[in-house]
Amino acid sequence: MSEYAIYNNRRFRAVYNDGKVFLTSKKEEEGFELHSFISGFETINTYEKTVSEKEVDAVFYEEIFIRYLLNDYCLFYSPRYEDFIKDNSIRILTTNSELAHTYNFNRSEPGVYYKDILINEIDTIIIKRTPVGINTSSDLCSDAIITKDNVKDYLYGIHEEWKR
């Protein structure tokens, strides 16, 4: 699950806390401050801005579910894990041991199972959005369904979004 905000008609990764929204971008944005930190041997730059809840159009949590073989699974992704598409496939997760055994999932840790599947094997993507804070319009963060014909474009679109 990731948290986002709509600010100036754009979607940003965000954290909501006590009436303030902390926005983050990987590219330079007007009014955002550069923050650098070292992760291993790499310097990571992010641009951040804090705004009041009243300055954003929406803040919401977003969960992405992959419908594969008539069951719904979590998409393994994170804005920090940008490269979640490899060889035209993605990783799905489940905590259901019976489903994991039935469909030959691998165990990653106790109670968590994963499987890499080809994008063209996905039936549908279900996006669940939960409004956060008092200023969020529910129509800006409504749930969505991505049909099989649009799955590839959607996944590659969020892949590009997380690189920015």
Side-chain angles (χ1 to χ4, degrees):
M1 182 181 319
S2 296
E3 194 170 0
Y4 295 95
I6 306 295
Y7 174 73
N8 288 340
N9 296 317
R10 295 211 22 242
R11 176 178 148 128
F12 290 91
R13 286 181 294 281
V15 174
Y16 173 81
N17 189 5
D18 197 25
K20 295 196 182 295
V21 182
F22 304 91
L23 305 170
T24 304
S25 176
K26 289 187 178 179
K27 69 176 193 170
E28 190 172 356
E29 303 280 347
E30 185 177 330
F32 283 58
E33 293 181 15
L34 173 64
H35 291 270
S36 298
F37 62 94
I38 296 175
S39 175
F41 295 105
E42 180 182 13
T43 299
I44 298 179
N45 294 323
T46 60
Y47 297 88
E48 300 173 2
K49 181 175 186 171
T50 302
V51 297
S52 76
E53 164 178 29
K54 294 176 182 170
E55 294 177 79
V56 298
D57 296 320
V59 182
F60 54 92
Y61 288 112
E62 182 174 274
E63 291 181 277
I64 300 174
F65 297 96
I66 302 297
R67 184 157 295 152
Y68 167 72
L69 298 177
L70 304 177
N71 295 292
D72 294 345
Y73 301 95
C74 295
L75 170 65
F76 177 72
Y77 77 101
S78 164
R80 288 184 176 84
Y81 180 65
E82 308 168 341
D83 197 18
F84 68 95
I85 298 176
K86 292 183 179 165
D87 299 325
N88 212 25
S89 67
I90 59 160
R91 180 166 288 179
I92 56 177
L93 302 174
T94 187
T95 56
N96 183 320
S97 60
E98 189 175 314
L99 278 177
H101 178 72
T102 301
Y103 295 110
N104 298 317
F105 278 59
N106 299 299
R107 181 174 171 234
S108 65
E109 59 187 75
V112 179
Y113 306 90
Y114 72 92
K115 183 173 186 167
D116 295 329
I117 62 169
L118 293 172
I119 290 173
N120 65 5
E121 295 177 310
I122 297 170
D123 298 321
T124 312
I125 296 177
I126 299 104
I127 304 165
K128 301 252 183 204
R129 296 184 180 116
T130 307
V132 176
I134 59 172
N135 193 40
T136 296
S137 166
S138 60
D139 57 330
L140 287 177
C141 60
S142 58
D143 294 347
I145 294 179
I146 309 299
T147 60
K148 187 168 187 71
D149 293 341
N150 299 313
V151 161
K152 186 174 184 176
D153 290 341
Y154 174 78
L155 289 172
Y156 278 96
I158 60 173
H159 185 254
E160 285 304 310
E161 176 183 311
W162 290 337
K163 286 183 176 182
R164 322 182 223 138

